[in-house]
Amino acid sequence: MEFPTLGENCQYPGCNQTDFLPLQCKCAKVFCREHFNTHCLSGECELAPQPKEVNLKKDDQIFKCSEKSCNKGNIHEMTCSKCNKHFCVEHRFHPSCPEIDDETLAAKIEQFEAPKRQFREANKHLQGMITENIRKALQSSAKVKTASKIHLMRIKQKASGPKSIPPSDRVYFAIRKPINMDAKPLKILQDEDHLIKLGTLVLEPDLKDTVPVFISTKWSLGRAIDCICETCNIRNDNNKIGNIKLRLFRQLDGYCISPTAMDVEINELVNKEILLEGDQLLIEYIDSNSLASLDENAHVFLVV
């Protein structure tokens, strides 16, 4: 050993371990910390310090745990802030305190819960103000981009999607799921002169009942729809022959995103501002027969 004279052996029967900070009783015997408490509480030594419960200041006294089933003692006092009794480390955080009545306990709980409740109410009020500000911004088509950016900050907090997509390739949207699998009615326009003007739309900036998601800008629209369906748990039969197909629509005006070309890249749609990051999008079932009659210049809208 490097320090052969350092420490003493515990004299409790069967222990004999070397303790570098031994405790000595007035009877001249030396013990480790664990067996010093046992020695003092055994009642066999008349010179051992007597255990006391609270408010003791003498160095030769130990504090006995107030838990009924516990006989442990401590040199240092650990007083419960509720009942002012001493407890050992094991019972330091006892689940209940018999000295507190129901009324006092309820007052203590309210003291801790009140700040949490106030925060929830303040946050709810704040979210309501943000939603109202977005609603006002969306009434002008010139402010749609600004409103989408505000949406984007809220969406990014909870968005989910494949972790394999690098952060630099991610684009974020809020998806509203279809209520049922019924084919939704469509309005088909063949020229831009009949397109609905943005200022006449009924807008809904609230993100309630939507699923925040992210997809890759390098994906095709078809792959993006497949990923959205998987993330949002939506039945997707686009790869099967059937009477209904899933398509992506803007909530803002009900415009269908590239109804016939599923191979167009998301990056291209974003660059052309057909999609804005932070948009709220609808994914809906439509009649597959209506897609067969469309030409590349047709504009498709959901009928509200």
Side-chain angles (χ1 to χ4, degrees):
M1 294 179 61
E2 189 174 353
F3 303 101
T5 60
L6 185 62
E8 296 188 47
N9 295 91
C10 176
Q11 294 180 280
Y12 190 81
C15 181
N16 199 39
Q17 69 170 328
T18 302
D19 196 316
F20 295 102
L21 294 172
L23 298 174
Q24 186 174 22
C25 179
K26 287 186 177 181
C27 65
K29 289 185 178 181
V30 175
F31 300 94
C32 62
R33 182 176 297 274
E34 179 183 355
H35 292 125
F36 178 75
N37 290 341
T38 305
H39 174 75
C40 293
L41 294 172
S42 65
E44 298 176 358
C45 179
E46 297 180 355
L47 299 178
Q50 297 299 313
K52 301 293 180 180
E53 292 200 1
V54 293
N55 299 326
L56 298 178
K57 299 181 180 179
K58 296 181 180 180
D59 293 337
D60 62 347
Q61 293 174 326
I62 63 174
F63 300 96
K64 183 180 178 181
C65 180
S66 298
E67 185 72 20
K68 292 182 179 180
S69 60
C70 182
N71 292 321
K72 293 182 179 179
N74 297 89
I75 296 176
H76 302 288
E77 181 182 9
M78 292 183 290
T79 306
C80 173
S81 60
K82 295 183 290 185
C83 61
N84 203 36
K85 289 186 176 181
H86 167 81
F87 290 88
C88 66
V89 174
E90 182 180 351
H91 299 111
R92 182 73 182 89
F93 299 102
H94 51 108
S96 61
C97 182
E99 299 298 323
I100 295 184
D101 54 29
D102 293 341
E103 184 178 350
T104 305
L105 182 61
K108 289 285 186 182
I109 294 175
E110 174 61 21
Q111 180 181 354
F112 287 102
E113 290 296 328
K116 297 179 182 179
R117 185 173 60 255
Q118 292 170 0
F119 173 78
R120 289 194 296 267
E121 292 174 354
N123 186 60
K124 182 179 179 180
H125 177 69
L126 176 62
Q127 292 299 320
M129 291 179 60
I130 292 174
T131 298
E132 183 60 26
N133 289 336
I134 295 174
R135 188 188 306 277
K136 292 178 180 178
L138 284 174
Q139 299 307 316
S140 170
S141 59
K143 296 181 180 179
V144 171
K145 293 181 181 179
T146 302
S148 293
K149 289 180 181 179
I150 299 174
H151 270 313
L152 178 61
M153 290 186 291
R154 303 169 75 185
I155 292 169
K156 282 187 174 182
Q157 295 176 356
K158 298 182 179 180
S160 56
K163 304 301 182 184
S164 58
I165 303 176
S168 59
D169 292 342
R170 295 178 183 180
V171 61
Y172 295 80
F173 301 101
I175 305 298
R176 189 178 295 274
K177 299 166 60 175
I179 299 176
N180 52 52
M181 294 185 64
D182 297 338
K184 302 303 183 293
L186 302 175
K187 180 187 294 184
I188 301 173
L189 304 177
Q190 298 295 334
D191 57 79
E192 295 185 1
D193 293 337
H194 294 88
L195 290 180
I196 301 173
K197 299 302 180 182
L198 202 58
T200 65
L201 299 174
V202 178
L203 306 172
E204 181 52 62
D206 198 341
L207 294 178
K208 184 180 179 181
D209 299 326
T210 63
V211 181
V213 303
F214 61 82
I215 56 178
S216 174
T217 56
K218 297 180 179 180
W219 286 354
S220 66
L221 178 60
R223 183 178 179 186
I225 291 177
D226 291 342
C227 179
I228 290 172
C229 289
E230 184 177 350
T231 303
C232 301
N233 194 25
I234 300 171
R235 180 175 174 178
N236 179 15
D237 292 335
N238 279 6
N239 61 340
K240 301 178 182 178
I241 299 175
N243 296 326
I244 56 173
K245 297 293 181 183
L246 280 169
R247 289 296 183 265
L248 209 56
F249 299 83
R250 294 190 305 226
Q251 182 276 332
L252 184 63
D253 52 4
Y255 181 74
C256 184
I257 309 299
S258 186
T260 58
M262 290 289 99
D263 57 346
V264 60
E265 285 192 1
I266 298 299
N267 190 42
E268 181 181 344
L269 296 172
V270 173
N271 290 338
K272 291 182 178 180
E273 298 186 355
I274 297 174
L275 284 176
L276 291 177
E277 187 174 20
D279 270 349
Q280 184 175 155
L281 304 178
L282 312 175
I283 188 163
E284 289 287 359
Y285 296 96
I286 63 174
D287 189 345
S288 58
N289 294 325
S290 63
L291 296 175
S293 60
L294 294 178
D295 61 40
E296 59 181 11
N297 295 319
H299 302 280
V300 178
F301 293 82
L302 277 177
V303 176
V304 180

